Amino acid sequence: MRFIFSVIIGVFGLFVAQAQCKETISGDFQTKEFSTPCPVYNFAFQGEKTSDWMSAKGPLDILMVEAEILPVKDDLEKYIKDYVGDAFFSKMQFKSVDISNYDSIVKFDGRYPPVDMYACKAKYFFYYYYLPRPDIKYCIGIAIDDNKRIISGFNFPDAAHYLPEDPILDYCKVMEIVKQTGTSIEPIESVSFDFDVEKQQFLWWIKQKIVHPKEGRNERNEISIEAADSKQVVSYMKVILLDAHGNPVKKKEEEIKKTPLKKIRAMR
């Protein structure tokens, strides 16, 4: 009886631990550069059906513009599938699409941020999630111009570089590995599943928060874990330049030098 009770407690504890594991959403849709300045309406499957598009509280039903957008979507997805291969594409999920309506600009008066047709680059902007696991969402945004050309960069690998993710890795397992490294990482600023353009691979990145930011050089620890191999873990010390207001000197955080402190594990 005591054994059965222990098993029940163990199973319940495992269930609670799994239930408490966080969903991870990372990546960059790139909306600020390509879609935000445009007079766009957003469409999704099973969206709202209304003739007054400006009144919609969420996505509009994509079937209202199916003749225009579905051929564009089909062509785009054929191209993506050829680029990334079947394994990656099978884990992509269409979310929605923005369509720029140039004849509706007047309806967007008073919107913030304001419509800026000089900065508007995209006729269509597609939103996708890449889902290596149901609890991990990686954001992918693809912009297409009036000539139906892709004008945004890809923040995901091609078929030649793609490696399937280690199935054991989720937020909880990542935090377990972080603890095992012994690296001083508290307080943590972020835990993300991201794509390294230079290495052409997905990595988990854990970044330490700078508690007392100062103008000039600031140091913090970071840990990377290869998404395809949870045994490849590296700790870094990163130097970040901040201005007087505590903001990165450049648009994105720029390191002076990324210096590996130690390679924590490299077991096979």
Side-chain angles (χ1 to χ4, degrees):
M1 184 69 179
R2 181 178 298 175
F3 173 75
I4 295 174
F5 180 75
S6 298
V7 170
I8 293 174
I9 292 296
V11 171
F12 178 75
L14 178 61
F15 173 79
V16 171
Q18 290 176 337
Q20 291 177 340
C21 196
K22 290 184 180 180
E23 180 182 54
T24 304
I25 302 178
S26 52
D28 182 9
F29 280 129
Q30 307 179 80
T31 52
K32 186 176 181 180
E33 180 180 357
F34 292 101
S35 182
T36 301
C38 302
V40 299
Y41 297 103
N42 184 251
F43 298 87
F45 289 106
Q46 299 181 336
E48 185 177 342
K49 294 181 179 179
T50 175
S51 59
D52 180 10
W53 291 2
M54 293 299 293
S55 67
K57 296 180 181 178
L60 295 157
D61 196 304
I62 198 171
L63 296 182
M64 295 193 298
V65 290
E66 61 178 318
E68 175 185 359
I69 197 61
L70 293 188
V72 179
K73 178 177 179 291
D74 288 344
D75 288 345
L76 172 62
E77 292 184 353
K78 287 177 184 176
Y79 182 88
I80 294 174
K81 188 174 182 179
D82 288 342
Y83 180 84
V84 300
D86 293 342
F88 187 96
F89 185 79
S90 67
K91 300 176 187 177
M92 287 183 66
Q93 179 186 89
F94 171 74
K95 179 178 179 289
S96 63
V97 58
D98 290 340
I99 302 179
S100 296
N101 284 63
Y102 306 138
D103 59 352
S104 299
I105 296 174
V106 66
K107 296 180 181 179
F108 289 82
D109 286 348
R111 189 198 77 172
Y112 185 83
V115 168
D116 181 358
M117 293 308 297
Y118 289 101
C120 178
K121 302 176 183 178
K123 174 63 179 178
Y124 308 105
F125 190 87
F126 287 83
Y127 299 82
Y128 289 89
Y129 285 129
Y130 173 62
L131 304 168
R133 291 171 52 108
D135 54 348
I136 301 171
K137 291 182 177 179
Y138 178 73
C139 302
I140 294 172
I142 301 175
I144 296 177
D145 68 9
D146 295 84
N147 297 314
K148 298 182 181 178
R149 298 175 302 189
I150 296 173
I151 56 174
S152 55
F154 286 171
N155 59 342
F156 49 88
D158 60 22
H161 291 93
Y162 173 63
L163 295 173
E165 292 75 23
D166 190 328
I168 73 167
L169 284 178
D170 60 6
Y171 180 93
C172 292
K173 183 62 178 179
V174 165
M175 296 311 296
E176 179 184 321
I177 293 173
V178 167
K179 185 176 180 180
Q180 290 173 358
T181 67
T183 302
S184 177
I185 200 76
E186 298 285 348
I188 294 175
E189 178 179 280
S190 62
V191 178
S192 60
F193 174 90
D194 276 313
F195 182 61
D196 188 308
V197 176
E198 292 183 3
K199 295 182 178 180
Q200 285 291 297
Q201 65 180 152
F202 283 106
L203 299 168
W204 284 87
W205 280 101
I206 303 87
K207 298 179 181 180
Q208 184 180 37
K209 182 178 180 180
I210 300 174
V211 179
H212 301 293
K214 61 181 184 295
E215 185 175 6
R217 291 170 57 97
N218 291 262
E219 296 181 356
R220 76 171 176 205
N221 288 333
E222 298 186 7
I223 297 173
S224 70
I225 305 171
E226 290 186 14
D229 185 354
S230 60
K231 297 177 181 179
Q232 302 304 317
V233 185
V234 183
S235 293
Y236 299 94
M237 182 277 292
K238 190 171 182 179
V239 178
I240 299 171
L241 293 176
L242 301 178
D243 62 20
H245 302 288
N247 300 314
V249 170
K250 295 186 179 180
K251 187 176 181 180
K252 293 183 178 179
E253 293 179 355
E254 293 293 332
E255 59 185 270
I256 295 176
K257 186 178 181 181
K258 184 186 286 186
T259 307
L261 297 179
K262 52 184 176 179
K263 193 159 188 174
I264 303 303
R265 300 191 305 164
M267 300 178 289
R268 290 288 179 182

